[in-house]
Amino acid sequence: MEPPYAPLSESCAKALGDKVYDKRKVASQEIEKMVTEFNNKNNATQIRKLIEVLSNDYATSRDANRRKGALIGLAATGLGLGKDSDKYVSELVTPIMNCLSDPDLRVRYFACESLYNVVKVARAAIIPYFPELFAALSRLVTDSDQMVKDGSELLDRLLKDIVTESYETFNLEAFIPLLRERMYVNNPFARQYVISWISILNAVPDINMVNYLTEILDGLFVMLEDNTPEIQPMCENTISQFLKSIRNDSSSVRMEDTINTLITHAQSLNELIKSIAISWIREFVQIFGPNVLPYASGIFTAILPCLEYNVESKRNIKECAVSVNNSMMQLVSSKEFKTQNVAKIDLRSIMEVLSQYLTHNSMHTKIAVLKWIHHLFLNFPNEMALHDSNLNNNLLATLSDNSDEVVLQSLCVLAEIINSQDTKDLDDFNKPHYRKFLLSLLNLFTEDKLILENRASLIIRNLCVLLNAEYIYRTLAEIIADGVLNLKFSSTLVRLLNNILLTSTELFELRTSLREISDPKSADLFQCLYKSWVCCPVSTLSLCLIAQCYQHVSELVILFSDVEITVELLCELDKLVQLIESPIFAALRLTLVSKSNNCADAQYLAHALFGILMLLPQTVAFETLRNRLQCVPNYWSRAPIDERNSLEYRSGIDFTALRVHFIERQKSQRAQRLIQRKRSVITPDIN
């Protein structure tokens, strides 16, 4: 009768389940010898019977010592089989792997040791069972017992050697999903284990891990958040190696999926993750060129907030973001790929992102956004025309920004939008879009007094540079003359426009044009401005002085007897005297001593200035103007002036009609002020 554990002898079977390790060791040596003999005789039946006994009667026993015996016995069987163990790999490996999750830590350790011995002799034959081995080891590296961890690390190193040797038979396609799954385990030892496998596989020259980058890149970025000292450097190094491979050969990269992953992580709050992701985006823009343009909106979402960084720790992030921004601009403006670029760029999504960041807190971000909008209008004017209406309100809102740079850049964009709407000859003043825009601008001024006080001059001066200054002034004058604005705001606006006209270098050409009053075009411009300037009497005098209409000024000064002389008006006269002494009015002062036109202009101007002098109280301005006039020849005793000699007469302008218009407007304003005063008494302003 056979022993119950045949082909094991009774003594061997007993020793194999003993609690003493040395006895189990002796029994394993007997098994190894027995298996060697069976294998030499090609007795596969007895070998399988032995493995079955070890697997069923020992490996599944409730007695931990018997399970340990099974493990050492199976290892001995593998050693006895040697190179022929590949015929029995499944029978040997399966029971050992089951013991890897045993509750007894000693059993788990011996399972690692047993599997190591089997794998060592089976070598490449173990490859088909690699996914199960990998899953088991990924759990063992997190084991609470250090001895088990050490055993699993030895086995892991052996497996890595085998895989790198036998990469041709290694099923990487099946392995990647398993690897990806383990990347999200929140355990530093498991993460370290996963990264080590990625690094090993990526180091094999004949394995192109870049093919699977989209599967694992997200997990690598997630693991970068781990504060464990060993993991971050490993992760950084692995990511760096991937980027190096892509630089050498980008043909294997699934750029579309990869760049979306990068965009996501470039928005991380973790500075390291953000820095690496943006540096990758920079490389992708350089490598893939126009192919990244369909993802421009996502790239903008990632880089635009980074432009505000000004601390040393974030300097690298900002530099990368600036580099990406500049490279993207170059791509968009590339003439070589212009036709392709139009098709690739999703302007709608880009404009949604840019509009969102127009309200960002950072000045640098807002400037970059405005430059992008301007850049897009320059390169895709027809396509960008669809976004005009949505942009205008947002752009107008930026004019209240605290930064002059933001305001100026916003004006550049607004000017480009208006210029893109120009289809008519610039010599024809028929620009409805000018009026529409300027009405919106004036509404902004009326709604926010701070903008009117602090920004209006800057805005109007720069609009006159970016657009046509004459059109700007003509349109504003027409709006004021149409009476769509209230009296107080109209007066404030005229004073502002007049001050800019008289003092700003940006308006030099317009001032020069007004001085050529005999030119029909200049005369028409003068009359257009005059009709709105009359709401502010002192500004009207200034306009006439600039246009060299000195006779008319002398007549208007006399009419000031019917104008309400307020402190505000006297202050304006004071400023006018200061301006007369400025370089801008040098030509005017020289006119006082000029004999041109038979001294007609000089005499009318002297009369006008004496009239202004009589309106002034005896202040510094009074003394200044009086001192100036004392240097002027006495024209009062001269023969009557022949007005036909004056520049004003040659202009062909009906100054009588303008004078009537001035008088009527002053009467109208005086009536309006009376009504307002009555209302203020009846319903006083509680503010």
Side-chain angles (χ1 to χ4, degrees):
M1 182 178 178
E2 277 191 344
Y5 298 108
L8 292 177
S9 64
E10 288 187 12
S11 60
C12 181
K14 183 177 180 182
L16 195 62
D18 200 278
K19 65 179 180 179
V20 179
Y21 172 76
D22 289 339
K23 291 182 179 181
R24 296 198 301 274
K25 180 68 175 175
V26 170
S28 71
Q29 291 170 349
E30 184 179 331
I31 291 172
E32 183 179 349
K33 184 179 178 181
M34 184 191 310
V35 170
T36 302
E37 291 175 359
F38 288 154
N39 193 44
N40 289 336
K41 296 176 182 179
N42 293 322
N43 192 346
T45 303
Q46 287 295 86
I47 293 172
R48 294 190 188 282
K49 189 174 181 182
L50 173 60
I51 294 173
E52 187 177 346
V53 168
L54 293 172
S55 301
N56 297 335
D57 296 330
Y58 282 82
T60 59
S61 173
R62 292 185 179 182
D63 184 352
N65 292 318
R66 287 175 69 83
R67 297 198 297 275
K68 294 172 189 175
L71 293 168
I72 199 169
L74 289 166
T77 303
L79 293 171
L81 288 166
K83 63 180 182 180
D84 292 325
S85 61
D86 59 341
K87 301 172 185 177
Y88 307 92
V89 169
S90 179
E91 293 97 321
L92 290 170
V93 169
T94 302
I96 299 174
M97 285 200 298
N98 289 337
C99 291
L100 289 173
S101 56
D102 196 278
D104 189 308
L105 65 89
R106 295 292 294 172
V107 173
R108 296 199 299 276
Y109 171 74
F110 284 121
C112 291
E113 188 180 67
S114 176
L115 195 55
Y116 179 89
N117 287 316
V118 171
V119 170
K120 185 170 67 174
V121 292
R123 305 299 291 183
I126 206 73
I127 295 292
Y129 306 94
F130 179 78
E132 292 83 358
L133 286 169
F134 178 84
L137 283 173
S138 66
R139 291 191 298 270
L140 287 176
V141 293
T142 66
D143 200 281
S144 58
D145 183 72
Q146 187 59 45
M147 203 163 60
V148 175
K149 284 182 183 177
D150 293 342
S152 67
E153 287 175 10
L154 283 171
L155 177 57
D156 180 53
R157 283 200 288 271
L158 177 59
L159 280 172
K160 285 171 180 168
D161 289 341
I162 293 170
V163 167
T164 53
E165 289 171 4
S166 313
Y167 64 87
E168 292 178 352
T169 59
F170 182 64
N171 188 352
L172 197 56
E173 295 279 351
F175 173 57
I176 292 297
L178 186 62
L179 187 68
R180 184 182 64 245
E181 178 187 343
R182 298 292 167 181
M183 295 179 84
Y184 297 99
V185 175
N186 193 17
N187 182 284
F189 297 105
R191 286 178 167 180
Q192 199 169 340
Y193 172 71
V194 169
I195 298 169
S196 69
W197 267 102
I198 295 172
S199 299
I200 286 291
L201 293 172
N202 195 40
V204 178
D206 293 308
I207 294 179
N208 188 2
M209 283 293 286
V210 175
N211 285 329
Y212 308 97
L213 182 60
T214 53
E215 304 290 327
I216 58 177
L217 187 60
D218 179 69
L220 286 170
F221 275 110
V222 169
M223 287 193 285
L224 272 175
E225 286 190 282
D226 199 308
N227 294 322
T228 307
E230 297 83 3
I231 292 177
Q232 279 191 356
M234 286 179 70
C235 243
E236 280 190 74
N237 183 59
T238 303
I239 291 173
S240 176
Q241 289 301 316
F242 273 118
L243 187 56
K244 186 177 179 181
S245 300
I246 293 169
R247 286 196 195 105
N248 294 332
D249 181 12
S250 61
S251 60
S252 304
V253 184
R254 284 158 52 193
M255 190 271 293
E256 299 82 0
D257 296 331
T258 307
I259 201 163
N260 282 327
T261 301
L262 295 174
I263 288 167
T264 299
H265 289 288
Q267 298 170 63
S268 170
L269 297 177
N270 184 294
E271 287 184 21
L272 177 62
I273 293 174
K274 184 188 287 286
S275 176
I276 292 174
I278 292 180
S279 65
W280 269 62
I281 291 173
R282 178 179 61 185
E283 295 289 339
F284 270 47
V285 171
Q286 294 294 330
I287 294 169
F288 297 103
N291 291 326
V292 304
L293 290 178
Y295 309 94
S297 60
I299 293 173
F300 291 155
T301 303
I303 67 168
L304 288 174
C306 302
L307 300 177
E308 70 170 320
Y309 296 160
N310 54 13
V311 295
E312 186 63 28
S313 63
K314 296 182 179 181
R315 186 177 68 176
N316 182 57
I317 298 175
K318 181 175 181 177
E319 288 175 355
C320 281
V322 170
S323 176
V324 172
N325 191 57
N326 294 339
S327 296
M328 291 291 288
M329 277 201 166
Q330 290 173 10
L331 285 177
V332 166
S333 57
S334 169
K335 294 180 180 178
E336 182 182 355
F337 302 106
K338 187 166 185 179
T339 306
Q340 298 176 34
N341 291 349
V342 173
K344 287 179 178 178
I345 287 181
D346 181 2
L347 284 176
R348 185 188 60 79
S349 62
I350 288 174
M351 292 310 300
E352 284 178 3
V353 172
L354 294 179
S355 297
Q356 175 188 343
Y357 281 107
L358 265 180
T359 57
H360 197 270
N361 293 329
S362 165
M363 174 193 74
H364 297 290
T365 298
K366 282 186 278 196
I367 290 173
V369 168
L370 290 165
K371 284 184 176 179
W372 260 111
I373 296 172
H374 187 246
H375 195 66
L376 292 171
F377 265 104
L378 289 176
N379 287 279
F380 310 115
N382 296 331
E383 291 79 7
M384 284 296 291
L386 300 172
H387 303 278
D388 285 357
S389 55
N390 295 331
L391 267 176
N392 282 334
N393 290 336
N394 291 335
L395 291 170
L396 285 169
T398 61
L399 297 179
S400 61
D401 196 89
N402 293 326
S403 166
D404 284 356
E405 290 182 62
V406 172
V407 173
L408 293 175
Q409 194 60 52
S410 183
L411 290 173
C412 286
V413 179
L414 286 164
E416 185 59 37
I417 292 173
I418 293 170
N419 284 330
S420 68
Q421 295 169 340
D422 266 338
T423 56
K424 299 177 185 282
D425 187 350
L426 289 177
D427 291 334
D428 299 326
F429 180 67
N430 184 11
K431 308 287 184 184
H433 47 279
Y434 267 67
R435 183 180 180 90
K436 182 180 178 182
F437 162 66
L438 291 173
L439 277 171
S440 300
L441 183 63
L442 294 179
N443 285 335
L444 181 67
F445 290 165
T446 56
E447 291 168 3
D448 192 335
K449 291 182 179 179
L450 287 176
I451 299 178
L452 179 63
E453 294 170 4
N454 303 326
R455 283 281 184 267
S457 177
L458 175 72
I459 291 168
I460 292 171
R461 282 190 288 109
N462 282 280
L463 282 175
C464 288
V465 173
L466 295 166
L467 297 170
N468 186 300
E470 181 181 341
Y471 289 173
I472 294 288
Y473 264 73
R474 274 183 177 274
T475 307
L476 288 172
E478 287 179 354
I479 293 171
I480 296 167
D482 289 346
V484 296
L485 307 173
N486 65 56
L487 174 60
K488 184 177 180 181
F489 181 72
S490 294
S491 301
T492 303
L493 183 59
V494 166
R495 290 188 197 98
L496 173 66
L497 293 171
N498 187 66
N499 187 53
I500 294 170
L501 177 63
L502 295 178
T503 62
S504 173
T505 55
E506 292 88 348
L507 274 294
F508 175 78
E509 296 297 331
L510 194 61
R511 285 196 298 273
T512 303
S513 176
L514 283 169
R515 287 180 61 82
E516 303 294 331
I517 197 69
S518 57
D519 180 74
K521 185 178 177 182
S522 297
D524 183 62
L525 173 62
F526 170 79
Q527 291 178 87
C528 178
L529 298 182
Y530 186 98
K531 289 173 183 176
S532 57
W533 256 237
V534 290
C535 67
C536 185
V538 178
S539 295
T540 309
L541 293 181
S542 303
L543 177 65
C544 293
L545 288 172
I546 279 287
Q548 302 184 87
C549 303
Y550 304 131
Q551 181 181 354
H552 190 63
V553 176
S554 64
E555 293 172 355
L556 290 181
V557 170
I558 303 302
L559 297 177
F560 270 62
S561 60
D562 295 325
V563 174
E564 184 179 359
I565 306 297
T566 62
V567 173
E568 187 176 45
L569 185 141
L570 292 174
C571 288
E572 289 180 58
L573 286 171
D574 192 290
K575 290 178 182 177
L576 177 58
V577 171
Q578 293 176 39
L579 282 171
I580 289 171
E581 294 298 317
S582 71
I584 289 174
F585 278 103
L588 178 145
R589 297 193 299 274
L590 290 171
T591 300
L592 288 169
V593 293
S594 172
K595 293 183 179 180
S596 299
N597 305 325
N598 198 24
C599 298
D601 292 319
Q603 292 185 55
Y604 282 128
L605 177 58
H607 294 167
L609 294 180
F610 273 110
I612 293 172
L613 184 68
M614 293 303 104
L615 289 172
L616 288 168
Q618 295 190 27
T619 59
V620 174
F622 177 88
E623 294 294 332
T624 301
L625 185 56
R626 185 177 65 174
N627 291 339
R628 173 66 64 185
L629 291 172
Q630 285 176 350
C631 303
V632 175
N634 184 3
Y635 293 113
W636 299 101
S637 60
R638 297 284 179 91
I641 306 168
D642 186 353
E643 64 177 17
R644 291 175 297 179
N645 292 324
S646 69
L647 287 170
E648 180 180 311
Y649 182 83
R650 297 174 192 171
S651 68
I653 297 171
D654 186 354
F655 279 96
T656 302
L658 293 182
R659 183 173 180 275
V660 171
H661 179 68
F662 180 87
I663 294 169
E664 289 177 351
R665 189 60 186 268
Q666 298 310 311
K667 287 180 180 178
S668 173
Q669 289 184 186
R670 187 160 56 247
Q672 287 183 48
R673 281 194 289 268
L674 286 172
I675 293 170
Q676 288 173 0
R677 285 168 185 167
K678 287 180 181 179
R679 285 177 179 171
S680 65
V681 172
I682 298 169
T683 56
D685 188 352
I686 59 173
N687 293 323

